[in-house]
């Protein structure tokens, strides 16, 4: 069964260059912070990052020391069994409630559970319907 909760995500966009991911992850890990989810991509020569960490405040401070302006955003973190059809069940619950998914990303890994992050048109309602 899927379990949803609210989570604070760090978001930032900066000019892209070689070594940027290494620089960012070094700053965060040097602050003794674990990155729990990450999505990074390039668009129009900019590096766009969305990530969560075991300490939002410490991660934000570490990135601020690099001169990065970080935005915070609430997202829906969904932990579900790592089995075929589980994401479909979550997506259907969200759709049946009339909630739009703005974006999502996640990973299954090789363990028993997978984690997906969603930004929806109504995160509070999404959490409620997923946890039913």
């Amino acid at each position: 069964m899927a379990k949803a909760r609210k989570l604070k995500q760090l978001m930032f966009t900066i000019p892209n260059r070689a070594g940027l991911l290494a620089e960012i992850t070094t700053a965060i890990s040097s602050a003794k912070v674990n990155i729990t989810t990450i999505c990074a991509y390039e668009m129009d020569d900019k590096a766009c990052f969305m990530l969560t960490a075991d300490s939002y405040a410490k991660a934000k401070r570490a990135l601020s020391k690099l001169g990065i302006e970080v935005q915070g955003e609430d997202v829906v973190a969904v932990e579900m069994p790592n089995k075929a059809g589980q994401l479909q069940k979550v997506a259907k619950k969200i759709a049946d409630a009339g909630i739009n998914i703005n974006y999502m990303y996640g990973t299954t890994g090789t363990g028993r559970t997978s984690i997906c992050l969603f930004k929806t048109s109504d995160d509070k309602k999404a959490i409620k319907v997923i946890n039913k």
Side-chain angles (χ1 to χ4, degrees):
M1 179 167 163
K3 191 168 206 161
R5 63 186 170 96
K6 181 172 85 168
L7 193 61
K8 189 84 158 181
Q9 171 177 262
L10 299 112
M11 298 174 56
F12 54 95
T13 302
I14 56 178
N16 197 17
R17 62 182 169 12
L20 184 58
L21 180 61
E23 183 180 335
I24 288 167
T25 55
T26 296
I28 293 172
S29 65
S30 294
K32 306 280 190 253
V33 175
N34 184 38
I35 295 171
T36 53
T37 65
I38 186 167
C39 175
Y41 57 93
E42 181 187 45
M43 183 181 293
D44 300 325
D45 296 325
K46 299 276 187 192
C48 304
F49 286 84
M50 297 181 288
L51 64 91
T52 61
D54 60 3
S55 174
Y56 173 87
K58 287 181 183 178
K60 186 174 181 177
R61 273 195 303 276
L63 293 168
S64 294
K65 288 178 184 177
L66 296 178
I68 297 172
E69 188 176 321
V70 177
Q71 305 290 320
E73 179 175 59
D74 290 334
V75 291
V76 178
V78 181
E79 185 172 354
M80 63 191 94
N82 187 9
K83 295 180 182 175
Q86 295 301 304
L87 179 57
Q88 180 275 331
K89 289 177 185 177
V90 170
K92 182 151 178 34
K93 284 183 177 185
I94 293 169
D96 288 349
I99 301 167
N100 186 45
I101 297 172
N102 300 335
Y103 64 83
M104 66 85 54
Y105 62 97
T107 185
T108 61
T110 56
R112 295 179 183 260
T113 61
S114 61
I115 302 286
C116 290
L117 291 183
F118 294 84
K119 183 61 186 167
T120 71
S121 59
D122 189 339
D123 291 343
K124 188 175 180 178
K125 186 176 177 183
I127 291 169
K128 187 176 179 177
V129 299
I130 293 166
N131 288 335
K132 265 188 170 178

